[in-house]
Amino acid sequence: MSLEASLLVLLGGFLGGASRFAVAGAVDRRLGPAFPWGTFAVNVSGSALIGLLAGLVRLLDAPGAQDMVQAFFIVGFCGGYTTVSSFALQTLSLALDGKRDVAAANVVASALVCLAATDLGFLAAAGFGR
């Protein structure tokens, strides 16, 4: 990855992370703690945004511009805003490519493995607290 692309990812990630913090916090304050509405709102909006951006990048007729837009918006901003957007785009791409069984496996495996990893991390952190 070029230095320019790396800097675009860095800046996009910073802005995406800050946006996630602001949006999730605002939604949570508005709707309350009964459900993680802030995270839900961020993940849904990030998924919609990455799909839109990926579609728009395909319309660009300049490979260099595609790379820079992808680095800043898709990898940087959306990656900082939510990683679920990347998961959603990859799963959709698999399904659109006719690999519906792989797309379904990706959904199930991602949910199960991510939950297990979260549990293991939580347990490891609890171990440090003793």
Side-chain angles (χ1 to χ4, degrees), residues 8 20 22 24 38 43 52 59 63 71 76 88 91 100 116 119 122 126 130:
L8 288 171
R20 178 187 179 98
N43 288 340
L52 174 66
L59 297 175
T91 304
R100 293 181 189 271
D119 187 44
F122 187 82
R130 292 181 183 189

Side-chain angles (χ1 to χ4, degrees), residues 11-82:
L11 179 58
F14 168 77
L15 295 172
S19 296
R20 178 187 179 98
F21 181 77
V23 170
V27 171
D28 283 341
R29 283 189 298 280
R30 174 100 172 137
L31 298 179
F35 184 83
W37 290 112
T39 298
F40 184 78
V42 164
N43 288 340
V44 170
S45 62
S47 294
L49 180 61
I50 202 170
L52 174 66
L53 293 171
L56 292 174
V57 165
R58 288 180 163 211
L59 297 175
L60 292 175
D61 193 23
Q66 288 176 332
D67 294 343
M68 294 302 114
V69 168
Q70 185 163 345
F72 179 78
F73 287 108
I74 294 177
V75 176
F77 186 85
C78 289
Y81 187 64
T82 174

